[in-house]
Amino acid sequence: MPAYRVIGVIGGMGPAATADFLARLVAGVTALHDTDHPRVLIDSNPHVPDRNAAVRGDGPSPGPALAAMAQALVAQGAQVLAMPCNAAHGWADAIDAGVPFVSMIDAALAEALGHRPRCIGVLAVGATLALDLYGRASPVPVIAGDLAVVQPAVNAIKAGDRSDAVRAALAGEAARLALSCDVIIAACTEVPLLLRQADVSVPLIDSTAALARATLAAAALPDMDG
Amino acid sequence: MPAYRVIGVIGGMGPAATADFLARLVAGVTALHDTDHPRVLIDSNPHVPDRNAAVRGDGPSPGPALAAMAQALVAQGAQVLAMPCNAAHGWADAIDAGVPFVSMIDAALAEALGHRPRCIGVLAVGATLALDLYGRASPVPVIAGDLAVVQPAVNAIKAGDRSDAVRAALAGEAARLALSCDVIIAACTEVPLLLRQADVSVPLIDSTAALARATLAAAALPDMDG
């Protein structure tokens, strides 16, 4: 029998982050055979209304689209939902499809807090910052990276630019945050596509990887042999 | 407006190959913004009845499961279907969901024939060989790699082993095929997860990459500005 519940992925924000998330779900399973893996249903939809425009009041809310995607995934069989986009969690309340929703914010924050930091730095953009998604959930202070550095880097990564110059910009901002913070969360799914732990002097939490681990844990069924 | 029709992916055979396929769909789009990408609906289902057992008469046909997945994807909005598993194409006739199905066999074979080979080598396993999926579609002779080498390598990759020893085994078999063939098709989706062009002396066709290119081409909408 399957070892996991069916996982539903509200994705496409952006598409590369969803591909990264799926790869991490696969790599996170100790499998001898294909059948050891969970079934994963994905809606990679890059046409969800823009989260950053919505938070600026310049566009429609993404909430209804996210709710519809969640309901369709559950109708197709999803039993646990995850959404590999930090900013979209500003509308997580709209996702009420009757099955557990694994929060990326909670998953990344839990891993960060495991390092017992006095302060957490976040590399994030748009709605994640505007809605203070990490700060309002954290028991310790959260300091955001400079948007003037992080936003152009994220835009570059979304456009396929994974050059050393973009990496260096993110690493520089991480180094600045590390002057006052004990741990840094890559709190935009594009950031860990380029910035790695080796680029940062303090622990770097990859929010995509943290969500993959938390999703597999939430989807795991009790071991019938155990 | 979107530049692509909605792509549906009949996946999970195996899960890593489906993640690889999604990454190649993303990388294959020239995009400045998320919205330039196609919407992709994926059912990564590792519980489809085993293709190799079915062809040996040791298990049920995967046809009904594949047909059901295809129909559910189309019901959810898929307008073009692809299936990143060579062996499962032995049951492609069961997939009749009223939208175009992009054949992985045809996509990889077309790229191989582009090299004007006198003979094509295939690194494949199970149903792909037993049903001669490439041989029966090819106008030039197709020679299969030794299953005694390829099958253990594929099993190892499915179990997460991407060691140099496994790569060397596949490279050795490719070198043997290259003695009589002008081009080799990595005709099992696990093979290109490890074997690269640099490991092979003749052109190596990655069936997953070929399917991604053919799927994007089939899903592309006419350029309204063009």
Side-chain angles (χ1 to χ4, degrees), chain A residues 13-117:
Chain A
M13 305 166 280
T18 293
D20 185 31
F21 181 64
L22 179 59
R24 289 173 185 282
L25 282 182
V26 174
V29 173
T30 305
L32 277 178
H33 305 287
D34 287 354
T35 50
D36 297 330
H37 286 270
R39 185 175 189 175
V40 184
L41 304 172
I42 301 176
D43 184 351
S44 181
N45 182 3
H47 307 299
V48 172
D50 186 80
R51 283 71 62 195
N52 300 336
V55 89
R56 286 194 311 264
D58 286 347
S61 165
L66 300 178
M69 290 162 73
Q71 284 160 12
L73 288 163
V74 170
Q76 217 190 327
Q79 297 166 301
V80 173
L81 291 173
M83 179 164 67
C85 173
N86 286 274
H89 280 68
W91 293 267
D93 286 350
I95 297 164
D96 183 12
V99 304
F101 174 77
V102 184
S103 163
M104 185 175 217
I105 309 298
D106 292 350
L109 196 57
E111 292 201 1
L113 292 172
H115 292 279
R116 300 184 175 282

Side-chain angles (χ1 to χ4, degrees), chain A residues 32 51 56 88 90 109 118 137 139 142 149 163 168 175 181 187 195 214 220 224:
Chain A
L32 277 178
R51 283 71 62 195
R56 286 194 311 264
L109 196 57
R118 288 159 301 172
V142 168
V149 176
S163 65
C181 296
L195 190 71
M224 303 303 284

Side-chain angles (χ1 to χ4, degrees), chain A:
Chain A
M1 64 173 289
Y4 293 95
R5 294 179 181 86
V6 178
I7 296 169
V9 181
I10 303 162
M13 305 166 280
T18 293
D20 185 31
F21 181 64
L22 179 59
R24 289 173 185 282
L25 282 182
V26 174
V29 173
T30 305
L32 277 178
H33 305 287
D34 287 354
T35 50
D36 297 330
H37 286 270
R39 185 175 189 175
V40 184
L41 304 172
I42 301 176
D43 184 351
S44 181
N45 182 3
H47 307 299
V48 172
D50 186 80
R51 283 71 62 195
N52 300 336
V55 89
R56 286 194 311 264
D58 286 347
S61 165
L66 300 178
M69 290 162 73
Q71 284 160 12
L73 288 163
V74 170
Q76 217 190 327
Q79 297 166 301
V80 173
L81 291 173
M83 179 164 67
C85 173
N86 286 274
H89 280 68
W91 293 267
D93 286 350
I95 297 164
D96 183 12
V99 304
F101 174 77
V102 184
S103 163
M104 185 175 217
I105 309 298
D106 292 350
L109 196 57
E111 292 201 1
L113 292 172
H115 292 279
R116 300 184 175 282
R118 288 159 301 172
C119 168
I120 297 171
V122 296
L123 294 170
V125 298
T128 308
L129 296 183
L131 300 173
D132 194 25
L133 296 181
Y134 279 93
R136 73 188 194 195
S138 173
V140 303
V142 168
I143 299 179
D146 185 351
L147 199 56
V149 176
V150 183
Q151 186 72 64
V154 168
N155 293 350
I157 295 168
K158 279 184 183 284
D161 178 358
R162 304 205 182 169
S163 65
D164 285 344
V166 177
R167 183 198 306 268
L170 288 171
E173 189 55 19
R176 199 182 65 76
L177 284 172
L179 295 176
S180 49
C181 296
D182 316 290
V183 55
I184 293 174
I185 301 176
C188 169
T189 48
E190 272 69 29
V191 172
L193 295 178
L194 191 56
L195 190 71
R196 305 293 184 183
Q197 179 63 70
D199 301 315
V200 182
S201 62
V202 298
L204 178 71
I205 306 300
D206 175 341
S207 57
T208 306
L211 179 61
R213 284 187 281 267
T215 302
L216 287 172
L221 289 166
D223 184 351
M224 303 303 284
D225 302 326

Side-chain angles (χ1 to χ4, degrees), chain B residues 194-217:
Chain B
L194 192 56
L195 190 72
R196 306 292 183 182
Q197 179 63 69
D199 301 314
V200 182
S201 61
V202 299
L204 178 70
I205 306 301
D206 177 341
S207 56
T208 306
L211 179 61
R213 284 186 280 267
T215 301
L216 287 172

